[in-house]
Amino acid sequence: MWTTHIHSYGGPDVIRYEQVPDPEPGPGQVLVQVAATSMNPSETALRAGMLRTVLPLTLPYRLGWDVSGTVVAVGDGVTSWSDGDRVIGRLDAGGAAASLVAAPAGSLAAAPASIPLPHAAAIPVAGLAAWQAVDGRVRAGQRVLVNGAGGGVGGFAVQLAKRAGATVIATASPRSAEAVAALGADEVVDHTAGPLPGGMDVVINLAPVSAEAAGGLAALVRPGGTAVSIATPIPGHEHFVARNDPGQLARLVALVDAGELAVHIAGTVPLAEMAETHRLSGAGLLRGKTILVPS
């Protein structure tokens, strides 16, 4: 099979697209024929070695956390999936940037039936992060600021906050503003053009910002309000790392199939071009979710 991996930390040029023997599913695993994986900005930091203290890798390392595909074999002890099942999942050990991957059966959820299977690869990492940022914090009638709404997590967070009944103010660059508005934001603010509105019940930060800017976000929260960040910490508020949760993933799939959550794909590229996709992401030239499909 073809796979995309790194043998060392470094720039995008360390990414290799090479043939390796096909994997076999071990006990508790299923073999998935990959329809697509997706690009997450955090994977550029992983590749560069910036996350080695919190996510140390055994090199060579196969890239790809998001997967959508079809089960083609099951390992011993697996009763939850059968050959031909369409699945999606977040693979914390990586490996989805390939034509085949042996995935833990318990990490997967049934893929949505209402969208193309490759598009479903945009859901797991970004969708789970958005769900966990919004769920339990955002309520009807609140004013919610989503900072960094033009990215993959932001697109889901805007929709989930709006679905909860909040008034959603989203920050996005001019090139992303139209797409963010189409996802339901009540107001889209160019974060480079002037001060952001205050008096927020909830601030959700999804963007890596300076410490000074993070302090500014804290000042936008009304007394008694709350803020949460999956990127730069906001002083005095919660910072979290999204966790894998197949149950929540299944609930996201249900919303997609019910027409209550849109999966917006900004672009589709061949898996062989992952190095170039990393270059574009590192330069801030990607918006939304880009999916990568095996040749």
Side-chain angles (χ1 to χ4, degrees):
M1 71 168 187
W2 288 94
T3 186
T4 308
H5 54 265
I6 59 174
H7 290 270
S8 64
Y9 293 117
D13 58 318
V14 303
I15 296 174
R16 298 285 182 265
Y17 186 62
E18 299 173 335
Q19 279 191 300
V20 299
D22 290 355
E24 295 286 341
Q29 293 183 324
V30 297
L31 186 65
V32 177
Q33 182 175 338
V34 176
T37 187
S38 82
M39 183 66 208
N40 295 290
S42 52
E43 293 187 64
T44 65
L46 182 80
R47 181 215 70 232
M50 297 170 61
L51 304 180
R52 69 178 74 189
T53 57
V54 292
L55 290 175
L57 304 181
T58 299
L59 299 171
Y61 176 81
R62 293 180 183 173
L63 298 166
W65 290 329
D66 287 308
V67 68
S68 66
T70 304
V71 174
V72 293
V74 299
D76 291 342
V78 175
T79 59
S80 52
W81 304 109
S82 301
D83 289 7
D85 287 343
R86 291 159 40 105
V87 295
I88 63 172
R90 175 180 133 172
L91 305 185
D92 291 338
S99 50
L100 292 166
V101 63
S107 69
L108 303 174
S114 57
I115 62 174
L117 185 56
H119 289 196
I123 300 173
V125 169
L128 286 170
W131 180 280
Q132 292 164 23
V134 171
D135 187 46
R137 296 186 180 88
V138 176
R139 301 186 304 275
Q142 291 183 321
R143 283 170 52 82
V144 176
L145 177 71
V146 179
N147 188 51
V153 180
F156 288 122
V158 166
Q159 294 181 80
L160 292 171
K162 189 65 181 174
R163 182 177 177 275
T167 297
V168 180
I169 298 92
T171 72
S173 66
R175 67 193 177 104
S176 300
E178 184 176 350
V180 171
L183 293 174
D186 296 284
E187 181 181 352
V188 181
V189 180
D190 181 356
H191 60 90
T192 66
L196 299 177
M200 295 294 161
D201 296 292
V202 182
V203 170
I204 298 173
N205 180 49
L206 308 173
V209 297
S210 67
E212 180 181 3
L217 290 173
L220 303 178
V221 182
R222 67 160 179 80
T226 188
V228 63
S229 179
I230 66 168
T232 308
I234 298 175
H237 293 277
E238 182 183 359
H239 179 260
F240 82 99
V241 176
R243 68 186 185 280
N244 203 347
D245 190 318
Q248 291 179 353
L249 185 56
R251 295 171 73 180
L252 288 164
V253 168
L255 291 178
V256 172
D257 279 340
E260 297 182 34
L261 188 66
V263 179
H264 176 67
I265 303 300
T268 302
V269 300
L271 188 58
E273 297 179 13
M274 178 172 265
E276 177 61 18
T277 306
H278 271 238
R279 289 188 186 93
L280 293 172
S281 179
L285 298 177
L286 293 182
R287 66 170 180 82
K289 291 295 292 185
T290 295
I291 58 172
L292 299 103
V293 296
S295 302

